[in-house]
Amino acid sequence: MRPPHPRRRGLGAATAALVALCAGQTLTALPATAATTAPAPTSAVTAAEDQAARAMAGSLTDSLWRARVRTAALTSEEVDVTALAAQAGGSRALRSTLTAADRRIATAKGLGAEVGPLLRLRLGDASMRGALAAGTTPWVAAATQDEDVTTVTAYDSHGRAHTLDARKAPAHPVYVVDIDSSTALAAGLDVLTGELARYGVHSAEPTAAADRTGTEPATGHRSPALAATGGFWTTRITAVELSDDEEPWIKGDAEIYALVTGFGQDGKVRVDPVDMPYLDNDGTVYRPNQILVNWSSYKYDLADAVMMEEDGSTNYHDLAQAIAAALLTITDQGAYIPLVNAVLDAIPADWWTDDPDYVDSWYTLARGDNGTRHGARGNGWMTVQPYYVPEL
């Protein structure tokens, strides 16, 4: 029996299991190392963030630098702190620490150097703006990936650690060192798609929320079905909401994406990633008009969707490889087979504590669906409608 699936826990397993479900059909080419490759330690990103937080806290003894950081934090939701240190007078030691931390984070997530600096700095809570603007020297903390955390450690400019309540924002201003999850997720989905292609698994390039009109994929590549028939049917999300739950003040916005899976025209399982960067907050109804399923890619009139959250520590290479080795094959039996249960059941038990997190699942999405569909876990709902994409 599997552990329960709280929203922000164990999603990396669901992601990779879905990848494995697809990859299982072509695993004859799977490298021998895939069966023994362990996921990168989930502490790798957090450790790099913590080191960056300590360095940032110590750097705030410099009044001129402290003022520059304060101005940036008050005028921007997120500050590219590595770039700021390079451009606005951060010490050589600070620049070196932040650059090294950025490299370690990219490596831990299986991303190349081309992704650029991922470290970001933000004010922990809006209630801290007054004290920060008044000149109080802030403490600095690393973002947590654990929603169940009860305390947070923040560092002051003298290197002292302060234990804070994770559920109640302190009066003292706190900078939070985090990563740019939106950039990391976009790059990670590209890596995931590349890994699928390496194993011969069909997968569309990640669909971004910017591609909302349904006229053409954001990549500019014309769909074969579009070229052949003059258009194709899709399922479009007109409204979506995730259930409200209490979050630590130190956590940033969610980075949500979905993996849509079913049988492709060739009868093999396929997976199509859909980035949903607008889904920042629980308890908020979003109306994206975003395409979720391109039915020209599927053999049957049914597909499944697993919604997940990127939570910071995922190594996309290792996720794809480690879970692909767990599932060897799944074949088309001439009728639609729901894949969500197979995805979740295939996940090794020790992956349930890793990130990213499982959010919810939708079974048997049909091309003709027109209305509200609730997730199987009851953690969210989507209103969907058929949408025909015509040729320009």
Side-chain angles (χ1 to χ4, degrees):
M1 183 176 215
R2 292 290 176 194
H5 314 319
R7 178 180 165 213
R8 299 176 186 267
R9 184 177 300 160
L11 179 56
T15 309
L18 187 54
V19 173
L21 199 59
C22 303
Q25 301 171 91
T26 55
L27 283 183
T28 54
L30 189 65
T33 55
T36 57
T37 302
T42 56
S43 61
V45 172
T46 301
E49 290 175 345
D50 188 73
Q51 185 175 18
R54 290 172 182 263
M56 274 300 303
S59 74
L60 297 179
T61 55
D62 181 327
S63 60
L64 182 59
W65 167 246
R66 185 171 67 246
R68 287 171 174 168
V69 177
R70 178 174 63 243
T71 298
L74 288 172
T75 56
S76 176
E77 290 186 4
E78 287 189 337
V79 179
D80 182 342
V81 68
T82 305
L84 183 65
Q87 299 166 4
S91 69
R92 179 179 298 179
L94 177 63
R95 294 197 302 270
S96 176
T97 298
L98 294 179
T99 299
D102 259 317
R103 289 199 200 101
R104 286 196 300 275
I105 289 170
T107 299
K109 294 182 69 61
L111 306 176
E114 66 276 5
V115 72
L118 290 172
L119 280 173
R120 296 293 184 268
L121 180 142
R122 55 182 166 80
L123 192 59
D125 191 79
S127 63
M128 303 171 182
R129 292 181 64 86
L132 180 64
T136 302
T137 301
W139 300 333
V140 186
T144 179
Q145 309 302 333
D146 183 2
E147 73 162 3
D148 297 324
V149 68
T150 58
T151 61
V152 172
T153 300
Y155 305 101
D156 65 25
S157 57
H158 301 289
R160 294 172 300 209
H162 301 262
T163 300
L164 309 176
D165 186 335
R167 296 295 170 179
K168 182 179 180 181
H172 194 101
V174 178
Y175 289 149
V176 177
V177 173
D178 204 346
I179 67 169
D180 181 351
S181 295
S182 181
T183 297
L185 174 58
L189 291 182
D190 285 339
V191 169
L192 193 62
T193 302
E195 289 296 289
L196 289 172
R198 248 188 2 113
Y199 301 139
V201 178
H202 294 292
S203 177
E205 293 185 16
T207 302
D211 180 27
R212 296 180 186 175
T213 62
T215 54
E216 273 294 326
T219 58
H221 298 300
R222 181 173 292 273
S223 162
L226 183 60
T229 68
F232 57 88
W233 281 100
T234 70
T235 289
R236 182 168 69 171
I237 303 171
T238 59
V240 58
E241 179 186 17
L242 300 180
S243 298
D244 189 22
D245 57 14
E246 187 178 11
E247 289 286 348
W249 56 268
I250 198 170
K251 285 180 70 72
D253 289 338
E255 288 296 337
I256 303 295
Y257 64 105
L259 294 182
V260 178
T261 187
F263 288 94
Q265 297 289 351
D266 59 0
K268 296 181 179 179
V269 175
R270 63 176 290 126
V271 56
D272 296 310
V274 179
D275 194 357
M276 309 173 84
Y278 51 88
L279 266 173
D280 289 335
N281 300 302
D282 299 336
T284 301
V285 177
Y286 295 91
R287 303 183 185 279
N289 287 328
Q290 182 184 23
I291 290 175
L292 180 66
V293 187
N294 176 349
W295 291 106
S296 69
S297 298
Y298 292 87
K299 178 178 180 180
Y300 299 108
D301 191 23
L302 294 170
D304 296 332
V306 179
M307 188 180 288
M308 295 159 284
E309 178 186 358
E310 153 64 36
D311 234 357
S313 299
T314 308
N315 183 308
Y316 290 90
H317 280 291
D318 287 352
L319 276 173
Q321 292 177 2
I323 304 299
L327 294 175
L328 296 177
T329 182
I330 182 167
T331 59
D332 180 11
Q333 302 298 319
Y336 171 76
I337 302 171
L339 301 177
V340 173
N341 285 352
V343 168
L344 300 180
D345 289 344
I347 302 168
D350 59 342
W351 281 80
W352 285 105
T353 57
D354 289 343
D355 296 318
D357 297 337
Y358 173 56
V359 177
D360 215 328
S361 318
W362 280 262
Y363 294 76
T364 60
L365 291 168
R367 192 179 81 174
D369 281 351
N370 191 355
T372 299
R373 291 286 307 272
H374 290 271
R377 289 188 56 228
N379 196 44
W381 57 265
M382 296 188 294
T383 299
V384 297
Q385 65 177 199
Y387 185 81
Y388 186 74
V389 179
E391 185 175 15
L392 288 176

